[in-house]
Amino acid sequence: MKIDRTSMSLVGNVQAANRLKQVAKKTAISGADKMAVSDKAQVFQALLQKAKEISSVREERVQALSEQIKRGEFKVDGQKIADRLFEVCQND
């Protein structure tokens, strides 16, 4: 049996039309779209909005540290950093 390409494209067109009809039927039945947002998502959205409102750079602190570095007075306290890292790891 030989199948020519013209009949295959017609079959594809019929299948595509049937799919469109099914989608149209489902859309017509469902009516208006509804969306429900969980409580966690609402809390997350509120926190995200507040985070966007907060300045991420504390200009005064950056300026003070820059001045200390320029004067050669900035000292790194390794023990303080290690203690803080340990606290953070313990909380996770």
Side-chain angles (χ1 to χ4, degrees):
M1 172 181 207
K2 186 176 179 181
I3 301 174
D4 65 10
R5 294 185 185 269
T6 56
S7 63
M8 289 303 292
S9 65
L10 293 175
V11 170
N13 290 342
V14 170
Q15 290 175 341
N18 286 339
R19 281 190 226 118
L20 287 174
K21 286 179 187 176
Q22 290 173 349
V23 169
K25 228 187 255 186
K26 288 180 183 176
T27 306
I29 293 171
S30 66
D33 291 335
K34 295 180 182 179
M35 183 175 88
V37 180
S38 70
D39 292 338
K40 288 182 182 181
Q42 290 175 354
V43 170
F44 175 77
Q45 186 64 34
L47 290 174
L48 184 62
Q49 185 62 34
K50 288 190 184 284
K52 287 180 181 178
E53 293 170 2
I54 297 172
S55 174
S56 62
V57 178
R58 297 183 298 171
E59 294 294 333
E60 310 85 37
R61 182 71 175 140
V62 171
Q63 187 63 32
L65 291 173
S66 296
E67 291 298 322
Q68 286 180 359
I69 291 169
K70 285 180 187 176
R71 292 189 305 260
E73 299 172 356
F74 182 75
K75 303 288 187 233
V76 176
D77 185 354
Q79 185 62 45
K80 188 175 179 181
I81 293 170
D83 291 342
R84 182 67 181 127
L85 286 172
F86 185 72
E87 287 175 23
V88 171
C89 290
Q90 291 295 321
N91 291 333
D92 286 342

